Amino acid sequence: MTTRVLLVDDHQMMRDGLRSVLENEAEVDVVGEAGNGRDALELFIRLHPDVVVMDIGMPELNGIEATRRILAENPRAKVIALSTHSDKRYVLEMLEAGAKGYVLKEAASHELLRALHAVMAGKNFLSPDITGAVVEGMMNRDDPRPASTAYSALTTREREILQLLAEGKTSGGIAQALHISAQTVETHRRNIMRKLDLHNVAELTRYAIKEGLTGLEH
């Protein structure tokens, strides 16, 4: 049976490389590509792929939030995270969002197909280089993580607006993109700053980059 895959990465060259790897496998069909999380969600709803290969740091909507939304749309969806990050913060956030696999980009050429087969067989897959980070993270769940705790208090809409603000979008531009009023955007912005104890857009931007919530880190 053919496995239908949606590729999501904000770099065309990376998507081309991944497509080349996947299409060498007779039973894999790349049915679509997206350069940000928002487009990924729309394509997932329209194309119903078996697996989504999801980059983390992307503009518009990062891979963690996009994964959460995809799993909310279909709890049985299979997502494989694809990232340059081996830091346990990113790994645990993505796994908590619902990803079934996590592959480092540097190893994607020889690990992605293994991850794909594992996930389709109902198993999880982690790049060997990050297994230790996951074990450490799971054994230290009571570690204080004030920034992450504060971030978890944000609503889905507030997280979306936080990323767009950090990427330099104006309130008017955000309102137009999300089909809400500029006044509503401003209300969300004030709530975000209050919850995160931040005081201006520059601080929001630094926070978003530090937490890997935006493609600006590229």
Side-chain angles (χ1 to χ4, degrees), residues 171-188:
S171 293
I174 294 172
Q176 185 174 12
L178 301 183
H179 307 292
I180 57 178
S181 71
Q183 183 177 359
T184 299
V185 174
E186 284 299 308
T187 298
H188 283 307

Side-chain angles (χ1 to χ4, degrees), residues 38 60-62 65 69 151 154-167 174 177-178 180 192:
R38 196 183 309 283
E60 300 289 336
L61 189 69
N62 64 71
E65 290 303 317
R69 294 193 186 194
Y151 179 72
L154 300 181
T155 66
T156 299
R157 180 66 91 189
E158 286 168 349
R159 292 174 180 178
E160 185 173 27
I161 289 174
L162 166 60
Q163 177 170 351
L164 293 172
L165 286 168
E167 291 173 355
I174 294 172
L178 301 183
I180 57 178
I192 293 166

Side-chain angles (χ1 to χ4, degrees), residues 8-214:
V8 187
D9 192 285
D10 60 336
H11 290 107
Q12 181 68 53
M13 187 175 296
M14 187 68 191
R15 297 202 304 272
D16 290 345
L18 294 174
R19 177 182 281 274
S20 177
V21 168
L22 294 174
E23 290 188 338
N24 280 331
E25 189 80 356
E27 296 182 350
V28 175
D29 182 20
V30 178
V31 296
E33 298 182 15
N36 62 65
R38 196 183 309 283
D39 289 346
L41 180 59
E42 292 178 0
L43 285 176
F44 176 81
I45 293 170
R46 179 156 58 89
L47 299 174
H48 305 291
D50 299 307
V51 179
V52 180
V53 177
M54 181 76 76
D55 188 17
I56 293 180
M58 296 182 294
E60 300 289 336
L61 189 69
N62 64 71
I64 296 170
E65 290 303 317
T67 297
R68 287 193 179 104
R69 294 193 186 194
I70 284 173
L71 269 293
E73 181 71 28
N74 181 357
R76 293 175 295 180
K78 296 177 173 63
V79 177
I80 298 173
L82 183 72
S83 179
T84 57
H85 299 295
S86 59
D87 187 290
K88 66 180 180 183
R89 291 183 308 156
Y90 299 102
V91 179
L92 293 175
E93 285 280 354
M94 200 62 179
L95 295 180
E96 288 172 357
K100 300 298 185 184
Y102 196 107
V103 174
L104 294 176
K105 286 187 178 182
E106 63 191 40
S109 61
H110 59 275
E111 287 185 0
L112 185 54
L113 281 174
R114 289 170 54 202
L116 195 64
H117 292 314
V119 165
M120 287 303 294
K123 302 175 183 178
N124 294 334
F125 181 93
L126 298 176
S127 284
D129 288 346
I130 64 171
T131 304
V134 174
V135 172
E136 180 186 352
M138 296 304 290
M139 293 178 67
N140 295 283
R141 299 298 286 170
D142 56 347
D143 279 357
R145 296 173 64 200
S148 294
T149 301
Y151 179 72
S152 67
L154 300 181
T155 66
T156 299
R157 180 66 91 189
E158 286 168 349
R159 292 174 180 178
E160 185 173 27
I161 289 174
L162 166 60
Q163 177 170 351
L164 293 172
L165 286 168
E167 291 173 355
K169 305 293 193 301
T170 65
S171 293
I174 294 172
Q176 185 174 12
L178 301 183
H179 307 292
I180 57 178
S181 71
Q183 183 177 359
T184 299
V185 174
E186 284 299 308
T187 298
H188 283 307
R189 182 180 62 80
R190 289 193 295 270
N191 289 338
I192 293 166
M193 288 183 170
R194 174 179 54 79
K195 290 179 180 180
L196 299 180
D197 192 25
L198 301 174
H199 306 94
N200 53 55
V201 174
E203 289 184 0
L204 280 178
T205 302
R206 286 194 293 271
Y207 175 88
I209 293 173
K210 178 173 69 70
E211 292 297 310
L213 306 175
T214 169

